């Protein structure tokens, strides 16, 4: 028997009370809580290892550099990249997309080229392409979603053409929970001569992502959604693409040789890592990947699918509640609106019972426009959630509705 209570006990924050109630944390799509192993890894790093990386010849700095680079290899294994050179440490998914847009996009795209962006993208995988549209005149083409919040491959076939240079798509929607068929999308895009950027901000904590099996060109994700600290994330890109791309930022560590006349850039992956990195974040990310690997994606899927099923069933019984995002393939996210209750009022009342959910457009305003709602309430699950959390959510919604209606 799997001891779920022991798993939950690894997360100290879950022992908190909020407004006199046990904390019921259901905002994992926003950021996940951290296990003790991650918290301790960061503490140990500052207590026993802190020195800048790639710079010192003294032991402390060399040990720090080793620990830092070991995590890069862990990330390489985590996404099954061919080489550690394909793993660039960034602040998060947002910085990863901006790096691709401003380095690859600005260098290799020209006016009239098309970037297909799905309608369910988080703003971080739409706005950088709109910025590039302003800068160099590319076209941003919307790949629409249907009433269930799904993308159609037939629609994609109709959009792809010889001007398409990139398809920018999330593997899992933060606002709807939809999981997209990345392998087929990549095959279709590649046949049309386009590259694919996958936003793995939501998917990487729920699904095993294999960049070689999927053959994605770019993948971005944020550590803080997979039990790691904030401020650290990764860009994966195929080595040939990274070799050809110009640096995104200039500064320390991304150079070999600098003079006023000429600068020679460092090799991969350092060419894209200007300045002192978030070393503690990287160390914490390594501990988070150990945590996920120990648990295993089979177990994660088992826990989260059960929670998704139970939450969907219980929430659907609430009168006037409409789930936004009813895709056939979904991750552990339930977004909903309830007749007669504004999402923000509802979330504020839930907080009185210690229930933390997000009420917002979830940085996916086009999704809200599509469903004609200003915002949704979103309950999103992590491995430590259990049925009691969902029961508390449902009970609290009933109480709130008694007040609001
Ligand atoms: N979504 C949410 O509550 P950053 O902020 O860079 O770590 O991640 C951005 C991001 C990109 N793509 C997707 C699909 C995301 O869900 C997010 C972050 C959070 O849904 C905060 S808005």
């Amino acid at each position: 028997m799997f001891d779920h209570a022991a798993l939950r006990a690894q997360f100290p924050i879950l022992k908190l009370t909020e407004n006199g109630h046990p904390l019921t944390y259901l905002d994992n799509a926003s950021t996940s809580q951290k296990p003790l192993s991650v918290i301790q890894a960061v503490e140990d790093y500052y207590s026993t290892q802190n020195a800048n990386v790639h710079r010192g010849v003294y032991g402390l700095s060399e040990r720090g550099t080793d620990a830092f680079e070991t995590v890069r290899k862990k990330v390489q294994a985590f996404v099954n990249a061919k080489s550690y050179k394909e793993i660039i440490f960034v602040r998060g998914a947002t910085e990863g997309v901006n790096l691709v847009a401003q380095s690859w996009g600005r260098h290799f795209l020209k006016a009239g080229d098309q970037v297909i962006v799905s309608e369910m993208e988080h703003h971080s995988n739409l706005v950088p392409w709109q910025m590039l549209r302003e800068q160099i005149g590319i076209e941003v083409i919307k790949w629409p979603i249907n009433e269930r919040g799904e993308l159609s491959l037939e629609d994609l076939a109709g959009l792809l053409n010889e001007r398409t240079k990139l398809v920018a798509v999330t593997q899992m929607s933060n606002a709807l929970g939809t999981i997209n068929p990345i392998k087929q999308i990549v095959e279709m895009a590649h046949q049309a001569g386009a590259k694919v950027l996958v936003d793995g901000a939501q998917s990487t904590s729920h699904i095993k992502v294999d960049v070689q099996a999927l053959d994605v060109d770019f993948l971005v994700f944020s550590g803080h959604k997979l039990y790691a600290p904030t401020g650290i994330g990764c860009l994966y890109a195929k080595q040939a693409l990274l070799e050809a791309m110009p640096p995104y930022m200039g500064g320390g560590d991304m150079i070999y040789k600098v003079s006023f006349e000429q600068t020679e850039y460092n090799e991969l992956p350092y060419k894209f890592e200007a300045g002192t990195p978030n070393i503690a974040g990287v160390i914490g990310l390594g501990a988070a990947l150990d945590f996920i690997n120990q648990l295993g994606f089979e177990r994660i899927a088992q826990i989260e699918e059960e929670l998704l099923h139970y939450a969907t069933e219980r929430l659907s019984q609430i009168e006037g509640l409409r789930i936004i995002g009813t895709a056939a393939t979904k991750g552990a996210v339930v977004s909903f609106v309830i007749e007669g209750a504004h999402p923000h009022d509802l979330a504020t009342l839930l907080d009185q019972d210690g229930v933390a959910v997000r009420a917002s457009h979830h940085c996916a305003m086009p999704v809200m426009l599509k469903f004609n709602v200003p915002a949704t309430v979103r309950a999103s699950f992590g491995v430590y959630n259990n049925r009691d959390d969902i029961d508390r959510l449902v009970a609290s919604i009933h109480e709130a509705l008694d007040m609001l209606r």
Side-chain angles (χ1 to χ4, degrees):
M1 268 299 281
F2 178 69
D3 188 351
H4 191 261
L7 168 67
R8 198 175 158 92
Q10 293 181 42
F11 291 81
I13 207 166
L14 299 178
K15 296 189 184 82
L16 287 186
T17 53
E18 280 287 307
N19 301 313
H21 299 270
L23 171 65
T24 302
Y25 188 76
L26 296 172
D27 196 15
N28 294 282
S30 192
T31 196
S32 58
Q33 298 302 344
K34 318 306 170 200
L36 212 49
S37 58
V38 169
I39 298 167
Q40 269 168 359
V42 174
E43 192 187 316
D44 286 352
Y45 166 73
Y46 280 124
S47 310
T48 64
Q49 292 179 321
N50 181 48
N52 212 331
V53 290
H54 305 141
R55 285 155 173 86
V57 289
Y58 50 90
L60 196 61
S61 172
E62 281 176 353
R63 287 197 298 278
T65 303
D66 280 352
F68 183 88
E69 291 302 329
T70 299
V71 176
R72 199 187 302 276
K73 298 218 165 102
K74 271 186 196 170
V75 176
Q76 178 198 344
F78 185 66
V79 298
N80 193 29
K82 260 190 203 145
S83 162
Y84 73 92
K85 294 182 179 182
E86 297 175 318
I87 305 300
I88 313 293
F89 287 125
V90 288
R91 277 188 299 141
T94 303
E95 190 178 40
V97 179
N98 279 276
L99 191 163
V100 176
Q102 289 302 311
S103 170
W104 178 81
R106 212 155 171 173
H107 195 73
F108 290 104
L109 303 189
K110 57 179 188 317
D113 282 346
Q114 296 186 345
V115 172
I116 295 176
V117 178
S118 100
E119 195 177 10
M120 71 173 76
E121 292 316 296
H122 186 277
H123 298 160
S124 61
N125 201 16
L126 169 59
V127 180
W129 305 112
Q130 293 173 323
M131 288 163 64
L132 200 61
R133 177 172 67 190
E134 280 163 28
Q135 289 161 349
I136 63 168
I138 60 158
E139 292 174 20
V140 176
I141 308 293
K142 177 164 86 181
W143 178 9
I145 50 177
N146 67 18
E147 296 310 313
R148 293 189 301 278
E150 293 166 323
L151 293 165
S152 134
L153 294 177
E154 264 175 42
D155 289 349
L156 178 62
L159 294 174
L160 287 165
N161 66 72
E162 67 290 345
R163 284 202 286 148
T164 312
K165 294 293 182 274
L166 181 79
V167 177
V169 65
T170 189
Q171 189 166 24
M172 175 175 157
S173 159
N174 65 322
L176 301 163
T178 313
I179 292 178
N180 290 316
I182 297 301
K183 198 166 165 56
Q184 287 99 311
I185 294 170
V186 172
E187 276 168 17
M188 290 172 68
H190 283 177
Q191 263 171 28
K195 308 272 182 247
V196 178
L197 181 148
V198 172
D199 176 353
Q202 291 297 333
S203 60
T204 37
S205 60
H206 304 293
I207 311 168
K208 171 72 192 162
V209 178
D210 181 329
V211 290
Q212 291 191 69
L214 294 172
D215 198 22
V216 301
D217 300 290
F218 303 102
L219 171 82
V220 297
F221 62 93
S222 300
H224 70 97
K225 292 182 202 288
L226 42 78
Y227 309 106
T230 51
I232 187 66
C234 298
L235 162 68
Y236 156 84
K238 286 180 179 162
Q239 188 169 343
L241 290 169
L242 290 172
E243 298 282 8
M245 284 160 57
Y248 170 54
M249 288 196 283
D253 219 21
M254 52 73 75
I255 48 83
Y256 263 140
K257 237 195 231 167
V258 178
S259 71
F260 269 85
E261 289 69 40
Q262 207 186 355
T263 287
E264 211 180 304
Y265 303 131
N266 205 342
E267 61 184 8
L268 291 176
Y270 314 109
K271 180 173 89 173
F272 291 103
E273 293 182 354
T276 299
N278 180 358
I279 306 166
V282 167
I283 300 297
L285 176 62
L289 296 184
D290 290 344
F291 168 79
I292 289 181
N293 290 335
Q294 266 162 29
L295 196 55
F297 278 105
E298 232 171 272
R299 176 72 66 194
I300 291 173
Q302 189 191 2
I303 296 169
E304 293 180 350
E305 277 165 23
E306 207 268 325
L307 290 172
L308 177 66
H309 183 73
Y310 184 64
T312 306
E313 191 180 277
R314 295 237 36 212
L315 288 167
S316 301
Q317 287 160 2
I318 296 173
E319 210 193 306
L321 184 145
R322 174 161 73 109
I323 293 180
I324 305 288
T326 50
T329 316
K330 266 188 81 170
V333 166
V334 188
S335 237
F336 58 88
V337 289
I338 308 184
E339 242 170 58
H342 192 284
H344 292 142
D345 295 339
L346 198 55
T348 306
L349 288 171
L350 295 186
D351 176 51
Q352 295 306 304
D353 292 336
V355 177
V357 289
R358 186 165 176 201
S360 155
H361 49 65
H362 311 295
C363 303
M365 281 192 194
V367 173
M368 303 298 119
L369 289 171
K370 163 77 183 177
F371 288 93
N372 200 20
V373 291
T376 71
V377 178
R378 184 188 65 186
S380 51
F381 309 104
V383 289
Y384 37 70
N385 287 122
N386 58 24
R387 281 183 174 227
D388 291 348
D389 292 332
I390 294 165
D391 291 341
R392 280 198 289 270
L393 165 71
V394 171
S396 184
I397 292 175
H398 280 298
E399 272 175 43
L401 290 180
D402 286 344
M403 287 179 69
L404 292 170
R405 278 175 173 167

